[in-house]
Amino acid sequence: LAGAGDELQGLKRGIVEMADILAITKADGANREPAARARAIYAGALHMFPPTPERWVPPVLTTSAAENAGIAELWAAIRAHQEHAEAGGHRLARRREQAVAWLRELVTVGLGRALVRDPVVAAVVVDYEKRVSEFKMSVVSASNELLRRFLRRG
């Protein structure tokens, strides 16, 4: 949404780097000109980033649902991106990367749950947390010790 102060924040947070398409919404009425400025800012910012491996340059569009403006262009951009990703094998490669990342995340979460449920770890974790919060023990030392206790039991 243009004019909401998000332009600079989006750049700072790296959202632009992750986007496949940028759509500035509510580009109508008094917001038409701010939307056009936001589109120009984002379009300029995109040229500062290195090209992606997919060689896709995210289009920056303005849309207005109230005036039914830019909607067809947005849909065309979505379809073009989909075709580009599928034709180059990028979509499949991304899905594979996501599947592996999801597997790793689920294993990490599962191990974390098992770790805190372990009676030996549970008996000392509060003490370690207290010592870490008081800077009497380093985070690395505490985590290594908790893992050592957990893994020794397995």
Side-chain angles (χ1 to χ4, degrees):
L1 173 63
D6 295 333
E7 293 91 349
L8 187 56
Q9 292 303 318
L11 292 172
K12 286 181 179 178
R13 293 182 186 145
I15 292 171
V16 174
E17 293 180 65
M18 298 184 299
D20 294 320
I21 299 167
L22 291 171
I24 311 299
T25 62
K26 300 186 182 191
D28 48 51
N31 203 41
R32 184 175 281 114
E33 190 58 36
R37 282 194 303 274
R39 192 204 69 69
I41 290 169
Y42 277 115
L46 285 171
H47 286 64
M48 293 190 286
F49 296 109
T52 64
E54 298 89 15
R55 300 285 185 225
W56 173 261
V57 178
V60 184
L61 311 167
T62 56
T63 64
S64 168
E67 295 178 359
N68 195 27
I71 307 302
E73 293 81 0
L74 176 59
W75 182 244
I78 292 169
R79 296 294 307 262
H81 178 264
Q82 183 177 22
E83 290 171 14
H84 178 81
E86 288 176 4
H90 308 298
R91 182 178 305 282
L92 179 59
R94 185 179 284 183
R95 294 295 175 253
R96 287 180 176 164
E97 290 169 6
Q98 289 171 336
V100 170
W102 191 14
L103 167 66
R104 290 177 179 164
E105 178 66 20
L106 289 174
V107 168
T108 300
V109 168
L111 286 172
R113 286 181 183 149
L115 180 73
V116 297
R117 288 182 187 146
D118 182 83
V120 170
V121 173
V124 296
V125 73
V126 173
D127 178 54
Y128 280 49
E129 288 172 348
K130 183 175 186 281
R131 289 164 62 191
V132 166
S133 73
E134 294 172 349
F135 305 108
K136 293 179 179 173
M137 183 177 208
S138 77
V139 173
V140 172
S141 295
S143 65
N144 285 341
E145 181 58 25
L146 289 170
L147 288 170
R148 186 186 63 74
R149 287 173 182 257
F150 176 70
L151 294 173
R152 187 174 350 140
R153 291 181 41 85

